[in-house]
Amino acid sequence: MTDYSTSMRTDRCGDLRIDDVGRQVTLCGWVDRRREHGEHLAFVDLRDRSGVIQVVVDGAHDLRSEYVLQVTGDVRERPDESANDNLATGAVEVEATEVVVLATAEPPPFPLDERTEVDEVLRLRHRYVDLRRPRMQRNLEVRARVTAAIRGAMEEQGFVEVETPMLVASTPEGARDFVVPSRKEPGSFYALPQSPQIFKQLTMMGGVDRYYQIARCLRDEDLRADRQFEFMQLDVEASFVTGEDVRTFVAHAVGAAAEAVTGDHPGEIRSMSWREAMDRFGSDKPDVRFGLELVDATEIFADTGFRAFQTPCVKGIRVPDGADISRNRLDELTGECKRWGAKGLVWMRLTEDGLNSPVAKFLSDDEQAGLVAKFEARVGDLLLLVADEWSTACHVCGLLRLELGRPPITEGGRHFVWVTDFPLFEGFDEAGNPIPAHHPFTMPHEEDLGMLGGDDQLAIRSLAYDLVLNGWELGSGSVRIHRREVQEQVLAALGISPDEARARFGFLLDAFRYGSPPHAGFAVGLDRLTAVLAGEENIREVIAFPKTQSGADPLTGAPTPIDDRHLAELGLGVLPPPG
RNA sequence: GGUCCUGUGGUGCAGUUUGGAGUGCACGCCGGCCUGUCAAGCCGGAGGUCGCGGGUUCAAAUCCCGUCAGGACCGCCA
């Protein structure tokens, strides 16, 4: 047990129990709530990080909300019938003999109770007040426990934590860089790291063998519920390993983190190929907590006369007992599907009299019967169908599935999934060159090496893998290419000439020449992991001082202009706003 | 860059559809009463540029246009 006593206090408020009865204690904390009963009796709930204790004081004290107090008094059992079972400390109370007001306080800008959902900007502007709330205290603790457990697990597995620089060279790949002007070399810039990717691979060449880092990463892209400019990663790389070895290391670490927070070890993590994830869940980050899995109906319409279904793929989902979903709602869903990229949405209600749908008349009896059989549909069910290219049909059905069935993050348990065998390329650029799905150093599947440069390059599988938790992409990794001829083959397939390659990744390619061990790695987004484990839908709730969606910090006012002298020293000028 | 939603005393909301006096609810705040409360209770009180600007109208929280801030999402995030 940690000893929390200091020169100013003997105990923490929330720690007092029936065993402490008879002790004289000194406590420090904030006035959470007070209940006055006239001149001679008042109850003050005193709050610190550990919780709340009822203090009995003389009513003459002027103790307002959020005053900071030091209270000395005797712990005693509460009188008959007045124990509070809703409070961990509810069996006892402290009868104050001395109350020192350490600081007075204005009324807080918003209520600190758990019942009110306060405007987030207001919370962020007064984050120091917001952080006093039990929810935030808990989230900060969850976060600290996650990182501590992960550090422990990585150390246990023999990994060495190596720090990498924050001021790095800008590279054209990937996300937009945050950039720092160089004073010594005006006109030149450092970039803040999007990830330690290149450095961690260099540690492999440096013989580190098992590298990890709890690393801050920065990307200047638009913010979302699961994305901030700055975020933390567990960054991992190891030599003389397969992808499976890496997944075992990472599973250990996230398992330890989950156990540290919830008390339960999540157990073995299931694996699923990317193809299967797309086919069954319409997403590369499948949320397997609920059903509504995608059904492939392409075969049924192989020779259909219904023009809308004369597509490479027809996919759908069966909504059990969904037939009572209103026409209005169905129109809404159709609109969403169009926004997501589909040409439309076909809905069918299965009634006693068969399929009820605006398009039923275009479908043959065989097709209708085939649908009912394939979806195992029952009277009262609703079928939703999207016909398109395979990827679009999967994508749209996947979003539809989430829209209709996704439970709150606190429900349905925690389900980690490895998604493996990602495609090496995810499409083609304007010049007709394939675009790497992960990065250009990702090792292709050995069996698919022969397809490089061929006609069906999108079918090439890579040794890249993602870790998914309840539909959140927690992280990704891959086996890296360490053989020169393979790297040359891939760069050639990407349409990158040797000269261009040297210009863009020269120092890494150089490093490959001096003896590169086979290596593979991974990175886990710690903010996301923490959010899911804390039961929060938004990573801002597990970050002490986050930014708003527009990238501003309501507390400090960042970003702010800087003065002209400062700019001049850096050799910078600011353009007038456009328009 | 785009789509959608939100903005009303300190806080959370209702009012906006169908224009008619800043109308209402809960919490908080200030004062009074109250010796066992714990979301204490009772009585009284203060507190408003309906985000901002413009327009329509006899009249705008309400309708229209613009703008700012926030949120969810698409694009983007190798």
Side-chain angles (χ1 to χ4, degrees):
Chain A
M1 266 297 266
T2 310
D3 179 9
Y4 285 100
S5 68
T6 68
S7 311
M8 291 191 71
R9 67 179 179 190
T10 60
D11 294 81
R12 301 194 303 173
C13 302
D15 293 338
L16 296 179
R17 294 294 183 276
I18 195 79
D19 295 344
D20 295 299
V21 167
R23 290 180 54 215
Q24 188 191 64
V25 295
T26 302
L27 307 171
C28 292
W30 284 263
V31 174
D32 193 59
R33 213 179 289 280
R34 65 186 199 286
R35 295 174 290 282
E36 289 175 14
H37 289 261
E39 213 176 324
H40 297 295
L41 178 66
F43 300 99
V44 169
D45 291 337
L46 196 65
R47 181 192 69 239
D48 64 19
R49 175 157 77 90
S50 62
V52 159
I53 179 88
Q54 173 165 288
V55 177
V56 186
V57 299
D58 187 277
H61 286 99
D62 185 28
L63 303 175
R64 309 286 169 123
S65 284
E66 300 308 310
Y67 275 27
V68 185
L69 307 183
Q70 183 187 46
V71 174
T72 301
D74 301 310
V75 183
R76 67 179 188 199
E77 188 170 3
R78 292 204 190 181
D80 291 345
E81 312 275 309
S82 68
N84 184 347
D85 295 336
N86 300 320
L87 217 56
T89 58
V92 296
E93 63 190 8
V94 171
E95 184 174 29
T97 51
E98 191 187 358
V99 176
V100 179
V101 176
L102 300 173
T104 60
E106 291 176 23
F110 50 85
L112 271 72
D113 63 58
E114 296 290 272
R115 306 189 306 280
T116 321
E117 194 66 40
V118 181
D119 177 66
E120 205 180 338
V121 187
L122 194 64
R123 290 174 56 202
L124 293 181
R125 189 173 301 136
H126 302 278
R127 192 62 152 179
Y128 40 85
V129 173
D130 191 40
L131 291 177
R132 289 178 204 160
R133 297 158 70 226
R135 174 191 190 178
M136 296 307 293
Q137 292 280 325
R138 184 183 59 94
N139 288 352
L140 292 180
E141 235 171 272
V142 166
R143 189 184 178 105
R145 242 182 270 154
V146 165
T147 35
I150 281 177
R151 273 219 166 80
M154 296 312 288
E155 294 288 333
E156 204 176 280
Q157 297 181 102
F159 281 77
V160 178
E161 180 158 24
V162 178
E163 290 160 64
T164 54
M166 290 299 285
L167 298 174
V168 305
S170 178
T171 53
E173 278 70 41
R176 199 175 294 114
D177 282 324
F178 277 102
V179 125
V180 178
S182 161
R183 174 177 57 85
K184 299 214 174 251
E185 211 175 304
S188 286
F189 296 84
Y190 301 96
L192 301 176
Q194 297 176 22
S195 78
Q197 181 65 34
I198 285 172
F199 289 102
K200 73 171 169 176
Q201 287 191 246
L202 293 174
T203 66
M204 293 301 101
M205 292 157 211
V208 171
D209 180 283
R210 292 188 180 191
Y211 147 96
Y212 85 102
Q213 183 180 191
I214 307 269
R216 189 174 295 271
C217 305
L218 299 105
R219 295 179 189 171
D220 187 3
E221 297 292 348
D222 287 356
L223 276 37
R224 289 280 198 288
D226 61 353
R227 274 158 42 185
Q228 284 270 304
F229 284 153
E230 318 178 37
F231 58 99
M232 299 302 290
Q233 282 190 343
L234 162 64
D235 198 42
V236 177
E237 196 81 13
S239 297
F240 312 120
V241 295
T242 61
E244 188 155 357
D245 292 327
V246 169
R247 292 196 289 276
T248 303
F249 294 139
V250 172
H252 234 84
V254 297
E259 189 171 5
V261 174
T262 66
D264 294 320
H265 195 279
E268 186 156 352
I269 299 177
R270 63 190 280 199
S271 289
M272 182 185 302
S273 72
W274 176 83
R275 186 89 201 177
E276 181 184 354
M278 294 304 295
D279 263 326
R280 290 176 56 195
F281 300 97
S283 170
D284 59 5
K285 42 180 178 174
D287 189 341
V288 299
R289 290 177 298 160
F290 64 104
L292 296 179
E293 285 190 29
L294 279 52
V295 175
D296 198 299
T298 310
E299 286 297 305
I300 298 169
F301 301 102
D303 302 307
T304 190
F306 180 37
R307 189 157 304 224
F309 281 2
Q310 292 168 356
T311 53
C313 181
V314 180
K315 269 197 177 286
I317 55 182
R318 174 179 74 94
V319 186
D321 302 314
D324 55 357
I325 291 177
S326 73
R327 182 61 193 267
N328 225 340
R329 176 71 176 138
L330 291 170
D331 289 343
E332 237 173 67
L333 290 173
T334 305
E336 296 218 62
C337 287
K338 287 179 178 168
R339 276 193 289 280
W340 293 330
K343 288 173 193 69
L345 174 69
V346 169
W347 56 264
M348 303 179 179
R349 298 178 173 128
L350 187 54
T351 68
E352 302 282 2
D353 309 320
L355 284 175
N356 165 285
S357 168
V359 307
K361 57 179 176 289
F362 301 118
L363 303 181
S364 70
D365 290 348
D366 278 356
E367 288 168 345
Q368 298 200 19
L371 271 178
V372 171
K374 184 83 187 176
F375 281 83
E376 296 173 23
R378 307 202 326 209
V379 171
D381 289 351
L382 174 74
L383 304 184
L384 298 171
L385 293 142
V386 175
D388 214 299
E389 297 291 331
W390 174 79
S391 58
T392 306
C394 289
H395 176 67
V396 172
C397 285
L399 290 173
L400 206 49
R401 174 177 176 268
L402 293 177
E403 170 86 25
L404 292 170
R406 187 174 200 177
I409 199 68
T410 47
E411 288 173 18
R414 297 181 182 87
H415 297 274
F416 289 91
V417 181
W418 290 111
V419 179
T420 62
D421 298 331
F422 269 73
L424 189 65
F425 304 124
E426 65 179 9
F428 297 93
D429 64 18
E430 315 84 51
N433 293 314
I435 303 164
H438 194 56
H439 61 61
F441 312 111
T442 304
M443 182 70 187
H445 224 280
E446 203 77 36
E447 295 162 22
D448 297 351
L449 275 174
M451 297 159 72
L452 276 169
D455 298 332
D456 195 14
Q457 297 202 89
L458 291 189
I460 301 174
R461 292 165 298 163
S462 73
L463 295 179
Y465 32 84
D466 273 10
L467 179 60
V468 175
L469 171 57
N470 291 6
W472 290 51
E473 184 193 322
L474 282 193
S476 59
S478 64
V479 177
R480 327 298 184 188
I481 300 171
H482 79 286
R483 276 152 46 201
R484 199 159 169 196
E485 74 279 6
V486 175
Q487 186 66 69
E488 281 167 3
Q489 256 183 295
V490 169
L491 289 175
L494 289 169
I496 299 173
S497 71
D499 282 350
E500 197 185 345
R502 204 164 309 120
R504 283 164 66 179
F505 330 105
F507 58 97
L508 187 62
L509 296 177
D510 277 350
F512 278 123
R513 290 162 47 197
Y514 291 105
S516 167
H519 58 289
F522 201 80
V524 182
L526 293 185
D527 308 270
R528 292 179 182 176
L529 175 60
T530 305
V532 177
L533 292 178
E536 295 286 1
E537 308 270 2
N538 186 316
I539 63 171
R540 292 188 299 273
E541 299 296 345
V542 297
I543 296 173
F545 300 101
K547 296 192 174 43
T548 65
Q549 199 167 73
S550 64
D553 175 5
L555 201 163
T556 62
T560 57
I562 58 175
D563 61 45
D564 291 344
R565 213 192 36 161
H566 199 164
L567 285 172
E569 189 174 46
L570 297 166
L572 297 178
V574 176
L575 296 171

